[in-house]
Amino acid sequence: MIRQQHKKVSSLWPLPGGNARYLDTTDRMLKWVAAQDAPTRDDLLQWFHEKYNVSRRSIPGYISVMTQLGVIKIDGNRVQLTSFGEKVMQAEGEEKARLVAQRFLQNYVGFPEVLAYYNQANKPIHLIEMVEGLKPEFPQWTSESQYEYRALWLLSLGCLRQVKGREYKITEFGRRMLAEYLGTKPQSKPEPSPPPPPPKPPCPETPSPVEALVQELEEAAMDSAHPKRLETAVARAFQYLGFSVDQWGETGETDVFLKANVGERAYSVVVDAKSRNRGKLQDLPVTALLEHKENNQADYVVVVAGGFAGGRLLRDAKNNDIVLLSVSMLAKWLRLHEKTPLNLEIYRAMFEQPGELKYLPAAIVAASEERLAWAALIVDMLALIEETYEHGLTKPLTAENLFSMLVTRLRGVRYPMEQVEGILHLLTHPAIGAMIGDSESGVTLAMSRATLANVFRTLANQIEIKEPETEV
């Protein structure tokens, strides 16, 4: 295994914008700094907050990543691009990723080892398997976060690709970057190169259900000879998103009717799917769409198409409270839902702004970020408690104890007390049973992180397959 070198950067954070888009976030930040006239650190804090709708307490960590990477420097309060940052900003395509990957491999603890671990495998490797395999190399890391952040950065750089869930596989670009790194290492004690995988005939990989659905939506949007095809794909998409769906598509009726059953806040949507062989919808049947809305007493009207022409079509949509949802935007929604499924009340935001939907609404992005933050709190809390046990401190810990310890460990209030209490209520609930006790008298950890993940998995499986009880 590759040995660590001295004076390498050991700490690492993710970036906002999505697990596979850290490089894109870096590039956007660099271009923003370059476009400003003497930006300050406070300006950069505000940019992150407004651009990605993230908590202000997380932003210093993002800025620290950028300064440690060496793409920006902060002189007093002023933010400036470094020469390396300018080089990254000006690079295109794979060269941009190569520059950043090279910097991580050369200057950071753990990056070569993580990439080499995936390189030695002939199959996708689950994150947990990688963590267990590398733990002896990094005894100072007491949680999985440092391993995961490296894997996600490698994913965003194109060195790894996600097969499913937390399973990743090295790419050809990743192999080239590792070979380049190994070629620059001192040769006094050369490391043996990992054996190449045995040759095997190429075979197309089966896409995930969401990616298969996205592919069908994209193809059906162009198949104007078979309009039912897009209607069916759209119906399947909204069913996956959690809506109650009826596919009608008869003459004089809407193609798809959605119902969001959220009690007194229930709402309904009529959806028309328009396939065009050139992709873009050129005109909007406003009268028919409004009749569909009135006849079905719907709250919202949506038109789904491959794309939309501008001008009058956009004005008609805005003036008549019609939402234009492109297939590409629907695909982004589906992928977000795959990563962080949200409820139908939150998804109401998709229908509240008439005209063409260019971005996922901020409320939905924020809810997704919050969901990920809850998961991060579980990880940090379990790592903290396990560390206290390793040092012989085994007494029950109250919510107040854990809050104070997290503040010390993370050098600031990343999780408010209400979140800490909320997670303790979840983990001590009999349905989960990961902890014993309560937030006031103290809790004791009774389950490893791997077992907790398995509890959630098996619970999800039971929810999916279990049939409700009925009267005999």
Side-chain angles (χ1 to χ4, degrees), residues 114-121 125 127 130 151 160 168-170:
V114 170
L115 192 55
Y117 194 91
Y118 285 100
N119 188 51
Q120 294 172 19
I125 296 295
L127 180 74
M130 182 268 287
L160 298 179
Y168 306 102
K169 187 175 182 179
I170 194 169

Side-chain angles (χ1 to χ4, degrees), residues 4 10 12 109-111 113-115 117-118 126-155 160 166 168 379 449:
Q4 297 180 42
S10 58
L12 184 67
V109 172
F111 268 91
E113 287 81 0
V114 170
L115 192 55
Y117 194 91
Y118 285 100
H126 194 281
L127 180 74
I128 299 300
E129 183 179 342
M130 182 268 287
V131 171
E132 293 301 320
L134 291 181
K135 269 186 177 179
E137 297 285 325
F138 304 102
Q140 73 274 25
W141 290 347
T142 58
S143 79
E144 294 174 7
S145 298
Q146 288 302 319
Y147 301 94
E148 184 168 19
Y149 293 161
R150 281 156 176 77
L152 292 177
W153 267 104
L154 290 168
L155 174 69
L160 298 179
R166 300 170 87 193
Y168 306 102
V379 171
R449 177 177 170 182

Side-chain angles (χ1 to χ4, degrees), residues 1 16 47 51 84 89 110 117-118 130 133 141 180 195 206 275 311 348 437 439 444 468:
M1 184 58 66
W47 179 83
K51 185 71 176 178
F84 177 65
M89 181 183 69
Y117 194 91
Y118 285 100
M130 182 268 287
W141 290 347
E180 180 181 320
T206 304
S275 55
R348 182 193 293 270
S439 60
T444 299

Side-chain angles (χ1 to χ4, degrees), residues 3-13 64-71 100-113 138 141 146 150 153 181:
R3 300 188 316 277
Q4 297 180 42
Q5 297 177 347
H6 295 297
K7 297 182 180 179
K8 285 191 170 186
V9 178
S10 58
S11 62
L12 184 67
W13 264 54
S64 176
V65 172
M66 297 291 92
T67 55
Q68 288 180 331
L69 183 59
V71 292
V100 177
Q102 188 179 59
R103 178 64 61 95
F104 275 128
L105 287 167
Q106 292 176 349
N107 292 6
Y108 280 69
V109 172
F111 268 91
E113 287 81 0
F138 304 102
W141 290 347
Q146 288 302 319
R150 281 156 176 77
W153 267 104
Y181 170 76

Side-chain angles (χ1 to χ4, degrees), residues 331-343:
K332 289 181 181 179
W333 188 5
L334 290 167
R335 289 173 177 135
L336 183 90
H337 185 81
E338 181 181 34
K339 182 177 71 173
T340 52
L342 302 172
N343 66 49

Side-chain angles (χ1 to χ4, degrees), residues 113-365:
E113 287 81 0
V114 170
L115 192 55
Y117 194 91
Y118 285 100
N119 188 51
Q120 294 172 19
N122 295 322
K123 59 183 179 65
I125 296 295
H126 194 281
L127 180 74
I128 299 300
E129 183 179 342
M130 182 268 287
V131 171
E132 293 301 320
L134 291 181
K135 269 186 177 179
E137 297 285 325
F138 304 102
Q140 73 274 25
W141 290 347
T142 58
S143 79
E144 294 174 7
S145 298
Q146 288 302 319
Y147 301 94
E148 184 168 19
Y149 293 161
R150 281 156 176 77
L152 292 177
W153 267 104
L154 290 168
L155 174 69
S156 76
L157 295 169
C159 295
L160 298 179
R161 63 178 176 81
Q162 187 174 24
V163 178
K164 63 177 181 179
R166 300 170 87 193
E167 290 186 2
Y168 306 102
K169 187 175 182 179
I170 194 169
T171 63
E172 285 305 314
F173 175 66
R175 292 186 194 281
R176 294 201 307 272
M177 291 306 304
L178 182 61
E180 180 181 320
Y181 170 76
L182 291 171
T184 62
K185 284 183 67 61
Q187 299 300 312
S188 56
K189 291 185 178 180
E191 299 284 344
S193 298
K200 58 181 179 180
C203 57
E205 295 188 5
T206 304
S208 71
V210 166
E211 291 306 317
L213 179 53
V214 168
Q215 183 177 338
E216 174 61 13
L217 284 164
E218 291 171 345
E219 294 177 1
M222 305 286 286
D223 189 4
S224 56
H226 304 92
K228 284 286 184 183
R229 183 181 175 188
L230 182 60
E231 293 172 16
T232 300
V234 168
R236 286 173 52 206
F238 280 105
Q239 191 170 38
Y240 175 76
L241 291 165
F243 291 88
S244 174
V245 177
D246 287 310
Q247 183 182 350
W248 293 331
E250 303 297 333
T251 302
E253 187 52 271
T254 188
D255 296 331
V256 178
F257 181 71
L258 311 179
K259 189 69 183 283
N261 295 311
V262 286
E264 294 180 349
R265 294 278 294 165
Y267 61 93
S268 58
V269 187
V270 290
V271 182
D272 263 32
K274 302 295 185 184
S275 55
R276 296 292 185 270
N277 59 2
R278 294 188 179 180
K280 282 192 176 183
L281 185 65
Q282 300 292 331
D283 54 80
L284 202 62
V286 174
T287 301
L289 291 169
L290 296 182
E291 286 179 357
H292 297 336
K293 180 181 180 182
E294 183 178 358
N295 292 342
N296 293 284
Q297 297 183 324
D299 298 286
Y300 306 104
V301 183
V302 174
V303 176
V304 177
F308 301 95
R312 180 179 175 182
L313 182 143
L314 296 182
R315 290 194 299 272
D316 286 346
K318 289 182 179 180
N319 293 338
N320 292 279
D321 291 334
I322 297 170
V323 175
L324 304 178
L325 182 63
S326 66
V327 165
S328 62
M329 183 54 59
L330 180 54
K332 289 181 181 179
W333 188 5
L334 290 167
R335 289 173 177 135
L336 183 90
H337 185 81
E338 181 181 34
K339 182 177 71 173
T340 52
L342 302 172
N343 66 49
L344 296 176
E345 176 58 25
I346 293 171
Y347 285 157
R348 182 193 293 270
M350 292 294 292
F351 311 112
E352 292 186 322
Q353 186 63 42
E356 184 175 4
L357 198 61
K358 295 282 191 178
Y359 306 98
L360 291 172
I364 292 177
V365 174

